[in-house]
Amino acid sequence: AWSIQENSIDYQLLVFLRPPPGHSFHLEPDTTGQLPGRPSNIRVVLECVCWKKQVLRGTLCFLHQHEDKLPKDQSSIVLRTLCTSSYLDMQKVACWAQRLLRSAWLLLPQSHHCQLTMLPSSQSCKFLLISTANMTICTEIVFAV
């Protein structure tokens, strides 16, 4: 979604998160047994990928592989960065996206003409771009699974 005012443009981008290979996301119901309107309890679950092992060589199934054949560090860096316990932590996802955007911004040619300011947010990645011509672009990246 986007809107234009006098000297500003507001964007809202929806980014779908995909689980790492061998994992899936499961939205857990709230205390009443209903699925929540906004994802809050997203469990990250190991999935069997034995069928992939036959098609794609080198694919390890963390569920069925013998422990001595698994890498010493079974947990992916993505899971360690984005999860708390076995749940996707949207605050960690937002912080990760902000760090990624901040470091990528410096590599773009537009960084010489616009100032990037990260805005506080715990469930999304919000930032503000101000150009040398005083045009303001406010963007929010919202994550969905």
Side-chain angles (χ1 to χ4, degrees):
W2 58 280
S3 64
I4 300 176
Q5 279 87 36
E6 260 181 57
N7 284 338
S8 79
I9 302 172
D10 291 344
Y11 291 100
Q12 186 176 35
L13 307 169
L14 183 63
V15 175
F16 289 93
L17 298 176
R18 296 176 68 195
H23 298 79
S24 64
F25 292 146
H26 292 272
L27 185 60
E28 292 192 342
D30 62 15
T31 55
T32 65
Q34 301 294 316
L35 290 179
R38 185 173 178 99
S40 54
N41 292 333
I42 301 168
R43 189 167 179 75
V44 181
V45 179
L46 286 172
E47 294 285 318
C48 175
V49 292
C50 289
W51 64 272
K52 281 187 180 180
K53 191 165 85 172
Q54 295 172 3
V55 178
L56 305 170
R57 296 189 184 231
T59 302
L60 293 175
C61 179
F62 292 118
L63 276 180
H64 300 113
Q65 191 67 261
H66 292 286
E67 284 189 34
D68 59 333
K69 292 187 179 182
L70 285 174
K72 291 195 190 311
D73 182 14
Q74 295 179 28
S75 61
S76 129
I77 191 155
V78 174
L79 296 179
R80 288 195 312 271
T81 303
L82 305 180
C83 292
T84 298
S85 186
S86 58
Y87 290 90
L88 194 61
D89 186 324
M90 294 313 282
Q91 190 167 2
K92 286 184 177 181
V93 171
C95 288
W96 169 79
Q98 288 174 355
R99 285 192 308 270
L100 183 65
L101 180 65
R102 198 177 293 125
S103 60
W105 176 251
L106 298 174
L107 302 174
L108 295 174
Q110 294 84 346
S111 66
H112 301 293
H113 308 290
C114 294
Q115 177 187 352
L116 174 73
T117 304
M118 302 308 296
L119 301 175
S121 178
S122 63
Q123 297 291 310
S124 64
C125 178
K126 291 183 181 181
F127 58 95
L128 186 67
L129 293 175
I130 301 174
S131 72
T132 53
N134 272 345
M135 172 63 87
T136 302
I137 301 172
C138 185
T139 305
E140 177 181 21
I141 300 173
V142 180
F143 304 100
V145 293

